[in-house]
């Protein structure tokens, strides 16, 4: 149990969100005010809105909000960098608070869960994951594709929190640790569990988008999914090695068969000399590609320069 009051930054990436922003900001404002009154968070807590290169009125609205209310701060990215990078920019920016809560602009996530997250933090959790109870409000396609994706991810050895998007509380010490991750391709919900630390979960019901349409088109969704797999797993490369090894083994057997046929059975002229190199070279090529893949995977891990360990505490 902690006994100091934390300062809070609510971090919200916004891309073309002019339809929802007025509602989102007014709800967040009253939420923040009530938290302050209850002494749940300190008076210097704030709401950080990140404009991810919107083409509509989003930035103008953010500017107006920060001019009229001291609770709001804005951050404008020079172009559309995508949800994950916009969120990361916000989290890096919010380095003057003890806790951050990231949430989408569209009010799909239940803002009331933030209170519970802060309480879990006060009970000792450094990271609190918001997990939706059911995905009833999502389309069948989105639901089943997400399920398949989580299955593939866990099969590839990536630890992720099921049904958790980017609605999450992170304390400053976990963000400090996260800054040590030097990589460019980020998939936050897969990387945060790598940090370790004491974590907890808050369940909530996800609703429909309050207004506007999804800013994740199919292309962005697929790109996020592929990024999740390729940034966190080397299994696709290992798969090539596996195929190479299997085919190489089979090709050896087939080569022996071709040789045997040539020596002891009637074969068409030229069959052996054609088929033997095909089997053999095909197998050996795939095996070598897989082998190269193994080293590429090692290089890939090295260039990421991820921390080899994270120290949570030192006592003297
Ligand atoms: N978003 C962003 N940049 C983008 C796409 C989305 O900052 O390129 C933000 C968006 O404004 C929202 C959040 O990411 O706050 C999640 O997007 P959305 O709700 O459209 O995704 P969905 O819930 O449909 O998966
Ligand atoms: Mg949404």
């Amino acid at each position: 149990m902690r006994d100091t009051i934390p300062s809070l930054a609510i971090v919200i990436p916004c891309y073309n969100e002019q339809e929802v922003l007025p509602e989102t900001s007014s709800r967040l404002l009253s939420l923040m005010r009530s938290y302050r009154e209850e002494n749940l968070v300190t008076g210097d807590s704030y709401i950080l809105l990140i404009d991810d290169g919107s083409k509509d009125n989003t930035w103008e609205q953010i500017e107006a909000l920060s001019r009229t209310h001291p609770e709001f701060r804005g951050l404008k990215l020079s172009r559309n960098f995508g949800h994950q990078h916009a969120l990361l920019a916000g989290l890096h920016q919010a380095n003057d608070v003890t806790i951050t809560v990231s949430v989408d602009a569209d009010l799909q996530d239940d803002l009331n869960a933030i209170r519970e997250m802060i309480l879990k933090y006060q009970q000792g959790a450094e990271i609190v994951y918001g997990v939706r109870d059911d995905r009833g409000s999502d389309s069948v396609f989105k639901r089943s594709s997400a399920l398949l994706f989580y299955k593939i991810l866990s099969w590839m050895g990536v630890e992720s929190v099921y049904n958790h998007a980017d609605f999450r509380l992170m304390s400053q010490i976990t963000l400090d640790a996260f800054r040590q991750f030097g990589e460019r391709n980020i998939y936050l919900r897969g990387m945060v569990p790598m940090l370790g630390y004491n974590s907890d979960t808050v369940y909530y019901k996800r609703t429909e988008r309050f207004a506007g349409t999804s800013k994740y088109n199919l292309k962005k969704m697929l790109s996020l999914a592929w990024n999740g797999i390729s940034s966190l797993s080397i299994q696709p490369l290992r798969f090539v090695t596996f195929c190479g090894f299997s085919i190489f083994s089979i090709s050896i057997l087939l080569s022996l068969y071709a040789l045997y046929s040539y020596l002891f059975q009637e074969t068409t002229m030229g069959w052996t000399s054609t088929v033997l190199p095909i089997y053999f070279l095909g197998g050996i090529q795939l095996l070598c590609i897989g082998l190269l893949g193994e080293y590429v995977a090692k290089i890939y891990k090295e260039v990421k320069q991820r921390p080899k360990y994270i120290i949570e505490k030192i006592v003297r």
Side-chain angles (χ1 to χ4, degrees):
M1 199 68 198
R2 298 172 212 257
D3 43 17
T4 48
I5 303 172
S7 53
L8 164 74
I10 302 181
V11 180
I12 303 152
C14 309
Y15 178 56
N16 295 341
E17 297 286 12
Q18 62 178 14
E19 289 100 344
V20 287
L21 214 49
E23 178 68 21
T24 307
S25 56
S26 85
R27 285 201 207 174
L28 283 171
L29 189 60
S30 58
L31 192 109
M32 192 56 113
R33 286 185 174 154
S34 68
Y35 290 176
R36 281 180 181 182
E37 271 161 34
E38 292 168 46
N39 276 333
L40 198 63
V41 300
T42 57
D44 52 357
S45 300
Y46 59 92
I47 300 155
L48 178 61
L49 300 166
I50 302 109
D51 173 26
D52 184 19
S54 299
K55 292 176 185 67
D56 64 0
N57 255 325
T58 302
W59 178 246
E60 283 71 23
Q61 289 187 18
I62 294 175
E63 260 186 329
L65 282 166
S66 62
R67 242 181 281 124
T68 44
H69 304 286
E71 288 89 349
F72 284 103
R73 293 188 193 179
L75 187 74
K76 184 175 164 43
L77 301 187
S78 59
R79 62 169 170 87
N80 181 237
F81 281 88
H83 177 209
Q84 299 288 297
H85 287 91
L87 181 52
L88 188 71
L91 291 175
H92 280 173
Q93 186 67 26
N95 58 3
D96 50 355
V97 288
T98 29
I99 50 175
T100 62
V101 170
S102 53
V103 63
D104 290 352
D106 58 1
L107 297 172
Q108 279 194 282
D109 305 317
D110 183 6
L111 295 182
N112 296 317
I114 297 178
R115 174 190 304 276
E116 245 179 286
M117 287 182 176
I118 299 172
L119 293 176
K120 296 254 160 131
Y121 167 78
Q122 290 294 35
Q123 285 160 18
E126 298 291 346
I127 302 173
V128 184
Y129 298 101
V131 172
R132 51 210 146 184
D133 257 343
D134 69 320
R135 298 188 66 126
S137 59
D138 284 337
S139 70
V140 175
F141 172 70
K142 197 147 193 163
R143 241 181 307 165
S144 45
S145 59
L147 183 69
L148 180 71
F149 176 62
Y150 284 118
K151 283 256 159 71
I152 294 176
L153 262 191
S154 79
W155 179 59
M156 299 228 169
V158 179
E159 189 202 337
S160 60
V161 180
Y162 183 63
N163 262 344
H164 160 71
D166 284 306
F167 187 22
R168 166 177 63 228
L169 178 147
M170 287 180 82
S171 68
Q172 199 56 246
I173 62 162
T174 64
L175 284 174
D176 284 342
F178 194 70
R179 285 193 192 97
Q180 297 180 48
F181 284 69
E183 56 213 79
R184 299 287 173 275
N185 293 297
I186 52 168
Y187 178 71
L188 292 170
R189 64 194 80 160
M191 289 161 71
V192 173
M194 275 187 218
L195 287 171
Y197 291 101
N198 184 12
S199 69
D200 211 329
T201 348
V202 163
Y203 293 93
Y204 68 97
K205 229 173 132 74
R206 193 164 155 105
T207 50
E208 306 258 346
R209 198 173 228 284
F210 179 76
T213 51
S214 173
K215 308 298 179 256
Y216 261 96
N217 51 27
L218 188 66
K219 190 172 153 227
K220 278 190 175 165
M221 223 169 89
L222 289 177
S223 141
L224 180 74
W226 174 239
N227 217 352
I229 293 172
S230 60
S231 301
L232 299 174
S233 173
I234 54 162
Q235 288 305 327
L237 287 173
R238 188 132 295 163
F239 178 71
V240 179
T241 314
F242 173 75
C243 287
F245 187 75
S246 320
I247 293 177
F248 179 66
S249 312
I250 297 169
S251 80
I252 290 279
L253 294 179
L254 288 175
S255 304
L256 288 176
Y257 165 71
L259 211 58
Y260 173 82
S261 306
Y262 171 71
L263 293 176
F264 302 108
Q265 289 172 331
E266 289 270 297
T267 51
T268 324
M269 268 283 279
W271 177 77
T272 317
S273 56
T274 314
V275 112
L276 225 142
I278 291 179
Y279 290 151
F280 192 70
L281 286 178
I284 220 162
Q285 274 172 358
L286 252 179
L287 183 66
C288 290
I289 291 173
L291 215 64
L292 284 179
E294 289 293 314
Y295 285 93
V296 171
K298 293 246 153 44
I299 297 168
Y300 167 81
K301 280 190 163 173
E302 288 295 332
V303 296
K304 276 186 189 295
Q305 304 219 354
R306 281 184 186 156
K308 286 182 258 323
Y309 51 81
I310 295 169
I311 297 172
E312 181 170 346
K313 242 183 236 158
I314 296 178
V315 283
R316 277 169 212 212

